[in-house]
Amino acid sequence: MIAVLDFGMGNIHSLLKAVSLYTDKFEFTSDIKKIANADKLILPGDGHFDKAMQNLNSLGFSDLIKEHVLKEKPLLGICIGYQVLFEDSDETSKQGATIPGLGLIRGKIRKFEGKQNLKVPHMGWNKLFDIKPKQTKLLKGIKNESFMYFIHSYRPVGVDRLDITATCKYYGESFPAVVEKAVVNGTQFHPEKSDKLGLQILKNFIEI
């Protein structure tokens, strides 16, 4: 069974519809027991890192997710669910502060900055580069320069190269778009909104 975590972050209707194309063995849930017993977890969502971690911690999901990974069961984080996989973020109303993430992947979430005329958020269709076909399970059948749909103002920095299986470029900066470390998988883009190739990524995860 696949548990899609309900932790109050954004509209996930399109994700549930996409998952249903490939399996009926899934549930959008906040039930602790169902999450603990799930074979796979999907951590979706839109919104702010600070609020996402507040919700995960208050619901008791942070420890459940870490236990799931320790049991070597697959996890997929999407968009804000991708960003919380990392060590921390400075996306908070408290100036100069950072918010701890789940710490499952080395790296820190920081805002795009330093480029003249840089438009934030990075929103719309953009290409994947540097796909590692021998290393990736999530991107099986996906070629370099495939387009995916992004919407985000922050990105991971300081990520171990071995954990990055695809990158994307924005105003000349290359940032990690997909990470895979053992059973932990994440996409900065929304595969459920990325047409047939995005759906292929979800199918690949479901079949891991």
Side-chain angles (χ1 to χ4, degrees):
M1 197 275 285
I2 300 172
V4 182
L5 270 66
D6 177 6
F7 66 113
M9 298 302 295
N11 183 354
I12 59 96
H13 175 74
S14 58
L15 174 62
L16 298 179
K17 184 176 180 180
V19 172
S20 73
L21 295 174
Y22 305 109
T23 182
D24 58 0
K25 296 178 180 179
F26 74 97
E27 188 168 346
F28 181 50
T29 182
S30 59
D31 186 287
I32 294 290
K33 290 184 178 179
K34 290 180 180 179
I35 295 168
N37 292 326
D39 300 302
K40 296 184 177 76
L41 294 183
I42 299 178
L43 184 58
D46 296 312
H48 296 282
F49 189 103
D50 193 351
K51 180 63 174 175
M53 285 308 305
Q54 285 181 25
N55 291 359
L56 289 173
N57 290 333
S58 65
L59 291 166
F61 288 178
S62 294
D63 288 338
L64 277 179
I65 293 167
K66 293 174 184 178
E67 289 170 7
H68 180 89
V69 170
L70 284 173
K71 292 176 182 177
E72 299 184 347
K73 296 192 288 186
L75 166 68
L76 174 63
I78 297 171
C79 197
I80 197 63
Y82 167 75
Q83 294 189 359
V84 298
L85 300 177
F86 294 90
E87 295 172 285
D88 67 40
S89 175
D90 61 1
E91 187 181 12
T92 173
S93 59
K94 300 175 183 177
Q95 190 171 2
T98 58
I99 304 298
L102 296 171
L104 299 173
I105 300 283
R106 178 184 172 187
K108 301 176 183 300
I109 304 299
R110 298 293 182 266
K111 193 171 185 178
F112 284 111
E113 58 185 12
K115 302 290 184 181
Q116 189 175 8
N117 300 321
L118 177 67
K119 295 181 179 179
V120 176
H122 169 216
M123 182 168 65
W125 295 90
N126 208 341
K127 296 177 181 178
L128 297 184
F129 295 96
D130 306 315
I131 292 175
K132 300 174 181 176
K134 294 182 180 179
Q135 188 174 325
T136 181
K137 294 181 180 179
L138 203 58
L139 300 176
K140 182 181 177 182
I142 307 299
K143 296 180 180 180
N144 274 318
E145 301 193 29
S146 294
F147 281 94
M148 300 294 163
Y149 187 82
F150 291 81
I151 177 166
H152 61 118
S153 300
Y154 291 72
R155 83 296 191 206
V157 299
V159 182
D160 191 327
R161 290 182 181 180
L162 294 176
D163 297 337
I164 302 169
T165 53
T167 63
C168 183
K169 295 178 182 178
Y170 189 52
Y171 278 79
E173 177 187 338
S174 179
F175 66 89
V178 182
V179 294
E180 298 177 60
K181 182 178 181 180
V183 295
V184 180
N185 308 269
T187 67
Q188 178 60 78
F189 54 88
H190 285 274
E192 76 279 9
K193 298 179 181 178
S194 298
D195 205 18
K196 292 181 180 179
L197 294 180
L199 294 178
Q200 179 64 47
I201 292 171
L202 286 175
K203 183 174 184 287
N204 289 343
F205 175 75
I206 290 167
E207 294 177 350
I208 288 176

